[in-house]
mmCIF file of all heavy atoms in Angstrom:
data_model
loop_
_atom_site.group_PDB
_atom_site.id
_atom_site.type_symbol
_atom_site.label_atom_id
_atom_site.label_comp_id
_atom_site.label_asym_id
_atom_site.label_seq_id
_atom_site.Cartn_x
_atom_site.Cartn_y
_atom_site.Cartn_z
ATOM 1 N N GLY F 659 25.855 60.623 48.673
ATOM 2 C CA GLY F 659 27.050 60.193 49.368
ATOM 3 C C GLY F 659 26.778 59.007 50.265
ATOM 4 O O GLY F 659 25.629 58.639 50.528
ATOM 5 N N GLY F 660 27.844 58.402 50.725
ATOM 6 C CA GLY F 660 27.729 57.248 51.594
ATOM 7 C C GLY F 660 29.046 56.537 51.721
ATOM 8 O O GLY F 660 30.094 57.061 51.345
ATOM 9 N N SER F 661 28.977 55.333 52.252
ATOM 10 C CA SER F 661 30.154 54.504 52.459
ATOM 11 C C SER F 661 30.142 53.332 51.498
ATOM 12 O O SER F 661 29.119 52.653 51.349
ATOM 13 C CB SER F 661 30.197 53.985 53.899
ATOM 14 O OG SER F 661 30.326 55.048 54.820
ATOM 15 N N VAL F 662 31.272 53.112 50.847
ATOM 16 C CA VAL F 662 31.413 52.008 49.906
ATOM 17 C C VAL F 662 32.770 51.358 50.081
ATOM 18 O O VAL F 662 33.695 51.941 50.653
ATOM 19 C CB VAL F 662 31.252 52.455 48.441
ATOM 20 C CG1 VAL F 662 29.849 52.983 48.180
ATOM 21 C CG2 VAL F 662 32.291 53.512 48.092
ATOM 22 N N GLN F 663 32.886 50.146 49.572
ATOM 23 C CA GLN F 663 34.152 49.437 49.579
ATOM 24 C C GLN F 663 35.018 49.882 48.409
ATOM 25 O O GLN F 663 34.507 50.354 47.390
ATOM 26 C CB GLN F 663 33.917 47.936 49.503
ATOM 27 C CG GLN F 663 33.193 47.356 50.695
ATOM 28 C CD GLN F 663 32.983 45.866 50.567
ATOM 29 O OE1 GLN F 663 33.149 45.291 49.501
ATOM 30 N NE2 GLN F 663 32.619 45.232 51.665
ATOM 31 N N PRO F 664 36.328 49.742 48.534
ATOM 32 C CA PRO F 664 37.180 50.011 47.383
ATOM 33 C C PRO F 664 36.720 49.222 46.166
ATOM 34 O O PRO F 664 36.362 48.050 46.271
ATOM 35 C CB PRO F 664 38.562 49.565 47.853
ATOM 36 C CG PRO F 664 38.519 49.739 49.332
ATOM 37 C CD PRO F 664 37.112 49.371 49.728
ATOM 38 N N GLY F 665 36.735 49.881 45.021
ATOM 39 C CA GLY F 665 36.247 49.274 43.797
ATOM 40 C C GLY F 665 34.771 49.481 43.548
ATOM 41 O O GLY F 665 34.282 49.176 42.449
ATOM 42 N N GLY F 666 34.070 50.011 44.524
ATOM 43 C CA GLY F 666 32.650 50.231 44.392
ATOM 44 C C GLY F 666 32.320 51.504 43.641
ATOM 45 O O GLY F 666 33.207 52.217 43.164
ATOM 46 N N SER F 667 31.029 51.788 43.563
ATOM 47 C CA SER F 667 30.541 52.934 42.810
ATOM 48 C C SER F 667 29.535 53.729 43.628
ATOM 49 O O SER F 667 28.838 53.187 44.494
ATOM 50 C CB SER F 667 29.866 52.484 41.506
ATOM 51 O OG SER F 667 30.761 51.793 40.661
ATOM 52 N N LEU F 668 29.474 55.004 43.349
ATOM 53 C CA LEU F 668 28.470 55.891 43.903
ATOM 54 C C LEU F 668 28.084 56.904 42.842
ATOM 55 O O LEU F 668 28.893 57.247 41.975
ATOM 56 C CB LEU F 668 28.968 56.642 45.134
ATOM 57 C CG LEU F 668 28.994 55.939 46.483
ATOM 58 C CD1 LEU F 668 29.646 56.852 47.516
ATOM 59 C CD2 LEU F 668 27.591 55.557 46.930
ATOM 60 N N ARG F 669 26.868 57.396 42.945
ATOM 61 C CA ARG F 669 26.392 58.448 42.066
ATOM 62 C C ARG F 669 25.940 59.626 42.906
ATOM 63 O O ARG F 669 24.992 59.508 43.684
ATOM 64 C CB ARG F 669 25.234 57.953 41.206
ATOM 65 C CG ARG F 669 24.767 58.943 40.144
ATOM 66 C CD ARG F 669 23.333 58.659 39.792
ATOM 67 N NE ARG F 669 22.967 59.108 38.462
ATOM 68 C CZ ARG F 669 21.705 59.269 38.065
ATOM 69 N NH1 ARG F 669 20.703 59.002 38.881
ATOM 70 N NH2 ARG F 669 21.458 59.680 36.830
ATOM 71 N N LEU F 670 26.614 60.748 42.740
ATOM 72 C CA LEU F 670 26.240 61.958 43.433
ATOM 73 C C LEU F 670 25.342 62.810 42.553
ATOM 74 O O LEU F 670 25.497 62.844 41.337
ATOM 75 C CB LEU F 670 27.475 62.774 43.818
ATOM 76 C CG LEU F 670 28.547 62.069 44.647
ATOM 77 C CD1 LEU F 670 29.652 63.056 45.008
ATOM 78 C CD2 LEU F 670 27.948 61.441 45.890
ATOM 79 N N SER F 671 24.426 63.505 43.190
ATOM 80 C CA SER F 671 23.517 64.385 42.487
ATOM 81 C C SER F 671 23.509 65.742 43.165
ATOM 82 O O SER F 671 23.607 65.844 44.392
ATOM 83 C CB SER F 671 22.103 63.797 42.476
ATOM 84 O OG SER F 671 21.180 64.687 41.872
ATOM 85 N N CYS F 672 23.396 66.778 42.371
ATOM 86 C CA CYS F 672 23.267 68.136 42.877
ATOM 87 C C CYS F 672 22.134 68.810 42.130
ATOM 88 O O CYS F 672 22.185 68.927 40.903
ATOM 89 C CB CYS F 672 24.569 68.908 42.684
ATOM 90 S SG CYS F 672 24.477 70.678 43.053
ATOM 91 N N VAL F 673 21.142 69.239 42.864
ATOM 92 C CA VAL F 673 19.991 69.913 42.274
ATOM 93 C C VAL F 673 20.058 71.392 42.617
ATOM 94 O O VAL F 673 20.217 71.761 43.788
ATOM 95 C CB VAL F 673 18.671 69.301 42.763
ATOM 96 C CG1 VAL F 673 17.483 70.072 42.202
ATOM 97 C CG2 VAL F 673 18.586 67.838 42.351
ATOM 98 N N VAL F 674 19.929 72.219 41.603
ATOM 99 C CA VAL F 674 20.034 73.667 41.751
ATOM 100 C C VAL F 674 18.651 74.281 41.653
ATOM 101 O O VAL F 674 17.866 73.938 40.767
ATOM 102 C CB VAL F 674 20.951 74.261 40.674
ATOM 103 C CG1 VAL F 674 21.045 75.775 40.824
ATOM 104 C CG2 VAL F 674 22.325 73.628 40.736
ATOM 105 N N SER F 675 18.364 75.217 42.535
ATOM 106 C CA SER F 675 17.100 75.931 42.494
ATOM 107 C C SER F 675 17.341 77.410 42.757
ATOM 108 O O SER F 675 18.374 77.807 43.288
ATOM 109 C CB SER F 675 16.109 75.367 43.516
ATOM 110 O OG SER F 675 16.599 75.520 44.837
ATOM 111 N N GLY F 676 16.388 78.225 42.364
ATOM 112 C CA GLY F 676 16.461 79.647 42.628
ATOM 113 C C GLY F 676 17.197 80.461 41.589
ATOM 114 O O GLY F 676 17.368 81.679 41.774
ATOM 115 N N THR F 677 17.616 79.833 40.502
ATOM 116 C CA THR F 677 18.310 80.545 39.442
ATOM 117 C C THR F 677 18.149 79.773 38.144
ATOM 118 O O THR F 677 17.527 78.707 38.114
ATOM 119 C CB THR F 677 19.795 80.752 39.795
ATOM 120 O OG1 THR F 677 20.385 81.656 38.864
ATOM 121 C CG2 THR F 677 20.541 79.426 39.761
ATOM 122 N N ILE F 678 18.716 80.321 37.087
ATOM 123 C CA ILE F 678 18.593 79.687 35.776
ATOM 124 C C ILE F 678 19.773 78.752 35.593
ATOM 125 O O ILE F 678 20.887 79.171 35.293
ATOM 126 C CB ILE F 678 18.522 80.737 34.665
ATOM 127 C CG1 ILE F 678 17.339 81.674 34.896
ATOM 128 C CG2 ILE F 678 18.407 80.057 33.295
ATOM 129 C CD1 ILE F 678 17.260 82.826 33.917
ATOM 130 N N PHE F 679 19.514 77.489 35.754
ATOM 131 C CA PHE F 679 20.560 76.476 35.801
ATOM 132 C C PHE F 679 21.418 76.467 34.540
ATOM 133 O O PHE F 679 22.644 76.312 34.613
ATOM 134 C CB PHE F 679 19.920 75.105 36.030
ATOM 135 C CG PHE F 679 20.890 73.961 36.009
ATOM 136 C CD1 PHE F 679 21.718 73.717 37.088
ATOM 137 C CD2 PHE F 679 20.963 73.125 34.908
ATOM 138 C CE1 PHE F 679 22.609 72.659 37.078
ATOM 139 C CE2 PHE F 679 21.846 72.061 34.887
ATOM 140 C CZ PHE F 679 22.670 71.827 35.973
ATOM 141 N N SER F 680 20.803 76.611 33.395
ATOM 142 C CA SER F 680 21.522 76.462 32.134
ATOM 143 C C SER F 680 22.588 77.533 31.907
ATOM 144 O O SER F 680 23.440 77.363 31.039
ATOM 145 C CB SER F 680 20.542 76.444 30.960
ATOM 146 O OG SER F 680 19.817 77.661 30.888
ATOM 147 N N TRP F 681 22.557 78.615 32.665
ATOM 148 C CA TRP F 681 23.561 79.657 32.532
ATOM 149 C C TRP F 681 24.902 79.276 33.164
ATOM 150 O O TRP F 681 25.917 79.906 32.867
ATOM 151 C CB TRP F 681 23.094 80.952 33.213
ATOM 152 C CG TRP F 681 21.975 81.659 32.511
ATOM 153 C CD1 TRP F 681 21.340 81.284 31.360
ATOM 154 C CD2 TRP F 681 21.364 82.880 32.929
ATOM 155 N NE1 TRP F 681 20.367 82.198 31.030
ATOM 156 C CE2 TRP F 681 20.361 83.187 31.979
ATOM 157 C CE3 TRP F 681 21.566 83.742 34.011
ATOM 158 C CZ2 TRP F 681 19.567 84.328 32.084
ATOM 159 C CZ3 TRP F 681 20.780 84.871 34.124
ATOM 160 C CH2 TRP F 681 19.789 85.153 33.164
ATOM 161 N N TYR F 682 24.922 78.290 34.023
ATOM 162 C CA TYR F 682 26.060 78.051 34.890
ATOM 163 C C TYR F 682 26.975 76.939 34.406
ATOM 164 O O TYR F 682 26.529 75.918 33.875
ATOM 165 C CB TYR F 682 25.573 77.703 36.300
ATOM 166 C CG TYR F 682 24.960 78.868 37.024
ATOM 167 C CD1 TYR F 682 23.657 79.259 36.779
ATOM 168 C CD2 TYR F 682 25.704 79.586 37.960
ATOM 169 C CE1 TYR F 682 23.105 80.350 37.437
ATOM 170 C CE2 TYR F 682 25.152 80.661 38.619
ATOM 171 C CZ TYR F 682 23.858 81.043 38.358
ATOM 172 O OH TYR F 682 23.311 82.121 39.013
ATOM 173 N N ASP F 683 28.260 77.164 34.605
ATOM 174 C CA ASP F 683 29.213 76.071 34.593
ATOM 175 C C ASP F 683 29.108 75.365 35.940
ATOM 176 O O ASP F 683 29.049 76.017 36.984
ATOM 177 C CB ASP F 683 30.641 76.575 34.403
ATOM 178 C CG ASP F 683 30.844 77.257 33.069
ATOM 179 O OD1 ASP F 683 30.245 76.813 32.066
ATOM 180 O OD2 ASP F 683 31.618 78.228 33.026
ATOM 181 N N MET F 684 29.081 74.052 35.908
ATOM 182 C CA MET F 684 28.903 73.274 37.123
ATOM 183 C C MET F 684 30.141 72.449 37.423
ATOM 184 O O MET F 684 30.840 71.999 36.514
ATOM 185 C CB MET F 684 27.695 72.346 37.002
ATOM 186 C CG MET F 684 26.380 73.053 36.741
ATOM 187 S SD MET F 684 25.908 74.178 38.094
ATOM 188 C CE MET F 684 25.851 73.037 39.481
ATOM 189 N N GLY F 685 30.390 72.246 38.695
ATOM 190 C CA GLY F 685 31.551 71.467 39.075
ATOM 191 C C GLY F 685 31.350 70.700 40.353
ATOM 192 O O GLY F 685 30.456 70.997 41.150
ATOM 193 N N TRP F 686 32.185 69.694 40.502
ATOM 194 C CA TRP F 686 32.287 68.962 41.749
ATOM 195 C C TRP F 686 33.688 69.153 42.309
ATOM 196 O O TRP F 686 34.672 69.009 41.582
ATOM 197 C CB TRP F 686 32.017 67.468 41.563
ATOM 198 C CG TRP F 686 30.572 67.132 41.363
ATOM 199 C CD1 TRP F 686 29.931 66.921 40.183
ATOM 200 C CD2 TRP F 686 29.591 66.948 42.389
ATOM 201 N NE1 TRP F 686 28.617 66.626 40.400
ATOM 202 C CE2 TRP F 686 28.375 66.633 41.741
ATOM 203 C CE3 TRP F 686 29.619 67.021 43.780
ATOM 204 C CZ2 TRP F 686 27.199 66.391 42.447
ATOM 205 C CZ3 TRP F 686 28.451 66.785 44.482
ATOM 206 C CH2 TRP F 686 27.264 66.474 43.815
ATOM 207 N N TYR F 687 33.755 69.478 43.569
ATOM 208 C CA TYR F 687 34.996 69.606 44.308
ATOM 209 C C TYR F 687 34.956 68.657 45.492
ATOM 210 O O TYR F 687 33.895 68.188 45.886
ATOM 211 C CB TYR F 687 35.190 71.040 44.808
ATOM 212 C CG TYR F 687 35.422 72.067 43.715
ATOM 213 C CD1 TYR F 687 34.408 72.443 42.851
ATOM 214 C CD2 TYR F 687 36.666 72.672 43.567
ATOM 215 C CE1 TYR F 687 34.617 73.382 41.858
ATOM 216 C CE2 TYR F 687 36.887 73.620 42.577
ATOM 217 C CZ TYR F 687 35.852 73.970 41.731
ATOM 218 O OH TYR F 687 36.071 74.911 40.753
ATOM 219 N N ARG F 688 36.115 68.393 46.051
ATOM 220 C CA ARG F 688 36.145 67.573 47.251
ATOM 221 C C ARG F 688 37.209 68.081 48.212
ATOM 222 O O ARG F 688 38.190 68.701 47.818
ATOM 223 C CB ARG F 688 36.378 66.095 46.919
ATOM 224 C CG ARG F 688 37.756 65.761 46.352
ATOM 225 C CD ARG F 688 37.796 64.309 45.892
ATOM 226 N NE ARG F 688 39.103 63.925 45.389
ATOM 227 C CZ ARG F 688 39.354 62.783 44.762
ATOM 228 N NH1 ARG F 688 38.370 61.896 44.562
ATOM 229 N NH2 ARG F 688 40.584 62.510 44.337
ATOM 230 N N GLN F 689 36.985 67.790 49.469
ATOM 231 C CA GLN F 689 37.912 68.187 50.513
ATOM 232 C C GLN F 689 38.080 67.029 51.478
ATOM 233 O O GLN F 689 37.130 66.636 52.165
ATOM 234 C CB GLN F 689 37.409 69.430 51.248
ATOM 235 C CG GLN F 689 38.404 69.995 52.240
ATOM 236 C CD GLN F 689 38.000 71.366 52.739
ATOM 237 O OE1 GLN F 689 36.848 71.777 52.616
ATOM 238 N NE2 GLN F 689 38.956 72.088 53.295
ATOM 239 N N ALA F 690 39.277 66.490 51.502
ATOM 240 C CA ALA F 690 39.610 65.416 52.416
ATOM 241 C C ALA F 690 40.068 66.009 53.740
ATOM 242 O O ALA F 690 40.494 67.169 53.805
ATOM 243 C CB ALA F 690 40.695 64.534 51.818
ATOM 244 N N PRO F 691 40.008 65.227 54.817
ATOM 245 C CA PRO F 691 40.447 65.744 56.116
ATOM 246 C C PRO F 691 41.871 66.279 56.067
ATOM 247 O O PRO F 691 42.782 65.615 55.569
ATOM 248 C CB PRO F 691 40.353 64.517 57.022
ATOM 249 C CG PRO F 691 39.298 63.665 56.390
ATOM 250 C CD PRO F 691 39.491 63.855 54.909
ATOM 251 N N GLY F 692 42.055 67.490 56.565
ATOM 252 C CA GLY F 692 43.370 68.104 56.596
ATOM 253 C C GLY F 692 43.873 68.612 55.270
ATOM 254 O O GLY F 692 45.031 69.034 55.183
ATOM 255 N N LYS F 693 43.033 68.585 54.239
ATOM 256 C CA LYS F 693 43.443 68.998 52.908
ATOM 257 C C LYS F 693 42.618 70.182 52.425
ATOM 258 O O LYS F 693 41.565 70.498 52.968
ATOM 259 C CB LYS F 693 43.284 67.839 51.919
ATOM 260 C CG LYS F 693 44.052 66.580 52.275
ATOM 261 C CD LYS F 693 45.537 66.767 52.110
ATOM 262 C CE LYS F 693 46.270 65.453 52.313
ATOM 263 N NZ LYS F 693 47.735 65.613 52.127
#
C-alpha cells in the first residue's frame, strides 16, 4: 500500500502462513472511511 496519483498503479501482496494456502479461496476487500 501507499500513496499514488490518480491514474497510477500499485501492487498489493498478501502472504499467508500457518495453514495450507492452496485449500483457500482468496480475496481482497476494502473499506473506505465511513463505509
Side-chain angles (χ1 to χ4, degrees):
S661 296
V662 296
Q663 296 180 346
S667 299
L668 280 175
R669 186 205 205 197
L670 305 184
S671 176
C672 172
V673 177
V674 179
S675 62
T677 191
I678 302 175
F679 176 76
S680 61
W681 289 0
Y682 290 80
D683 297 324
M684 301 298 302
W686 285 97
Y687 293 70
R688 67 188 182 190
Q689 187 168 18
K693 302 290 187 179

